[in-house]
Amino acid sequence: MIRPRLMLASLAVLLCFSVAMSEAQSIPSYELSSLVDLYKSAGGQGWYNQQNWLSSSSPCTWFGVSCVQIGGNYFVNQLLLTNNNLKGTLQESIGKFGHMAQLILDTNGLYGSLPANVKNLTSLQTLSIASNQLSGSLPNVFEKMTQLVVATLNNNHFSGLIPSTLFNLPNIISIGLDNNQLSGYIPQTTSYKLTSVDLSNNKLTGPIPYTFYSLTNLQTLLLDSNNLSGTISTSIYNLKDLQVLKLGPNSLYGTIPRDIFGYLENLQVANFNSNSFSGNIPSNFSVNSQLTDLEIASNSLTGQVPTTLINLKHIQQINFQFNTLTGTLPSNIGYLYTLQFLNIGSNQLTGTLPTQICQISTMANTGKLTLSSNELSGQIPSVCCTMASYDLMNNDFTCPAPSMCVNVGC
């Protein structure tokens, strides 16, 4: 016969357990099951923070889980487990969170493919699974994600084509697919709210999509380190909010639109390196230009270094190395007081080295002047040899050079 006190104690334990289970079921059972699936498939026991996970506490209190109340019921609407040592795969059950707004699992050790059931996350606003080891082709899961604002899938091993639906979402503002192994053409777009597109370091081919030139809200366009071909349209003048433009290395050709730096006054970083551009350096630099970094190295540019560089009041780096530029160095470059790095090496420049260029304090103290492998002549100004770093080798300077000079070929 069970003693009365023992019976009461047992009933109390059962009652507490029932209450705890009631709290744990404050979200639908299928969502609870999906959270458990994630814990088990992504190595939950090794997570840096696993507070309350698989405990009797409400899942809404589990680390990284947030819930929203809808009509008296609770649903998971955020899963934030950035840099939490998740190691394993994502299961199809990840698609059962119908009210999920934020799915942020970046900087972990997830591998395998992106489950096709992600397409059911129709309330999703942020999808961030960057810096994992996910692989395979990207499933065409984005069509019904009409609320999606940010898609960050960079630094993985995704391959195959970019789903066209990703670039045709009405509310998307940022797409990051860089540092993958994606191939094929970049899709055309109708996502006119886009402010940032990063597709760098992939295996993409074909031209820059003509619809990109209609993205008037675009601030960042990174297409570097692919195999893109074709020309740059003058329609790029439409992108007046553009701040960062990186197009090299690729296989783009033709001339760089001559007025690009006149129209795009907000542009701060312009990188056209390692393409096949020809013609002159665009010389219509707006006096309101915000350029800090101008790089057009390793192309087939001809003509002279433009004197209108003087308009670049914020410029810190100029790189025109490995082209076929001729003529003399404009002495007014010496009035670019913010310039730190000037590299016009491996061209066909002639004439003397203007003293003013070596007197730019920001470059003389912490930057570098590179004019090697040209046809410069005359005496090297002694002040040039007091700079922190310089390379004047392989020119036709008069020897002997000032006694303090090194790296001048004398």
Side-chain angles (χ1 to χ4, degrees), residues 312-326:
L312 302 181
K313 304 302 182 183
H314 306 283
I315 196 69
Q316 297 176 18
Q317 175 166 280
I318 295 173
N319 187 355
F320 298 152
Q321 188 178 34
F322 294 116
N323 282 286
T324 317
L325 301 174
T326 56

Side-chain angles (χ1 to χ4, degrees), residues 272-275 277 281 294-301 305 317-325 341-349 368-374 391 393-394:
F272 303 89
N273 288 345
S274 301
N275 280 284
F277 291 119
I281 296 171
L294 175 59
E295 301 187 55
I296 322 179
S298 300
N299 281 281
S300 300
L301 299 177
V305 178
Q317 175 166 280
I318 295 173
N319 187 355
F320 298 152
Q321 188 178 34
F322 294 116
N323 282 286
T324 317
L325 301 174
F341 299 91
L342 176 63
N343 187 345
I344 318 182
S346 299
N347 280 279
Q348 298 175 14
L349 300 178
K368 184 175 183 178
L369 172 66
T370 302
L371 297 172
S372 56
S373 299
N374 279 285
D391 185 356
M393 294 287 290
N394 299 315

Side-chain angles (χ1 to χ4, degrees), residues 129-178:
I129 51 175
S131 300
N132 281 283
Q133 300 171 31
L134 297 167
S135 59
S137 59
L138 282 174
N140 196 6
V141 297
F142 301 101
E143 183 175 5
K144 295 181 180 180
M145 292 185 185
T146 56
Q147 304 304 310
L148 194 63
V149 175
V150 175
T152 308
L153 294 83
N154 54 293
N155 292 301
N156 280 288
H157 304 295
F158 290 122
S159 58
L161 304 179
I162 299 174
S164 60
T165 50
L166 179 58
F167 275 88
N168 290 281
L169 296 173
N171 293 299
I172 193 86
I173 65 170
S174 179
I175 296 176
L177 296 173
D178 49 295

Side-chain angles (χ1 to χ4, degrees), residues 87-316:
K87 293 186 177 181
T89 60
L90 294 176
Q91 302 300 303
E92 291 291 343
S93 56
I94 197 73
K96 291 184 178 180
F97 299 102
H99 298 279
M100 179 83 76
Q102 315 289 332
L103 179 59
I104 304 175
L105 305 175
D106 49 290
T107 317
N108 283 292
L110 297 171
Y111 56 85
S113 60
L114 183 64
N117 271 0
V118 169
K119 67 182 180 182
N120 296 325
L121 302 180
T122 55
S123 299
L124 207 58
Q125 298 174 20
T126 301
L127 173 62
S128 183
I129 51 175
S131 300
N132 281 283
Q133 300 171 31
L134 297 167
S135 59
S137 59
L138 282 174
N140 196 6
V141 297
F142 301 101
E143 183 175 5
K144 295 181 180 180
M145 292 185 185
T146 56
Q147 304 304 310
L148 194 63
V149 175
V150 175
T152 308
L153 294 83
N154 54 293
N155 292 301
N156 280 288
H157 304 295
F158 290 122
S159 58
L161 304 179
I162 299 174
S164 60
T165 50
L166 179 58
F167 275 88
N168 290 281
L169 296 173
N171 293 299
I172 193 86
I173 65 170
S174 179
I175 296 176
L177 296 173
D178 49 295
N179 293 293
N180 281 288
Q181 299 171 23
L182 298 168
S183 58
Y185 280 26
I186 300 172
Q188 300 290 345
T189 184
T190 57
S191 299
Y192 298 118
K193 292 183 180 180
L194 275 167
T195 63
S196 177
V197 175
D198 189 350
L199 304 178
S200 59
N201 289 289
N202 280 286
K203 300 177 181 180
L204 299 169
T205 55
I208 299 172
Y210 67 87
T211 49
F212 274 39
Y213 298 120
S214 297
L215 300 177
T216 55
N217 293 306
L218 202 59
Q219 297 176 16
T220 301
L221 179 60
L222 307 180
L223 303 178
D224 48 299
S225 300
N226 282 288
N227 297 309
L228 300 178
S229 57
T231 61
I232 301 176
S233 169
T234 54
S235 296
I236 200 170
Y237 298 161
N238 296 330
L239 308 185
K240 297 185 185 299
D241 288 341
L242 199 60
Q243 297 176 21
V244 180
L245 174 65
K246 292 188 178 182
L247 298 178
N250 276 293
S251 298
L252 299 168
Y253 55 84
T255 58
I256 300 172
R258 58 170 296 185
D259 294 322
I260 187 170
F261 301 120
Y263 280 93
L264 305 187
E265 293 183 339
N266 292 308
L267 197 60
Q268 298 174 25
V269 175
N271 187 322
F272 303 89
N273 288 345
S274 301
N275 280 284
S276 298
F277 291 119
S278 57
N280 296 337
I281 296 171
S283 58
N284 185 12
F285 294 101
S286 168
V287 293
N288 296 316
S289 174
Q290 300 299 308
L291 267 177
T292 62
D293 188 345
L294 175 59
E295 301 187 55
I296 322 179
S298 300
N299 281 281
S300 300
L301 299 177
T302 55
Q304 300 187 359
V305 178
T307 58
T308 49
L309 287 171
I310 189 62
N311 290 340
L312 302 181
K313 304 302 182 183
H314 306 283
I315 196 69
Q316 297 176 18

Side-chain angles (χ1 to χ4, degrees), residues 351-367:
T352 59
L353 172 54
T355 301
Q356 298 96 315
I357 292 178
C358 300
Q359 292 175 327
I360 303 173
S361 60
T362 51
M363 184 162 58
N365 296 330
T366 58

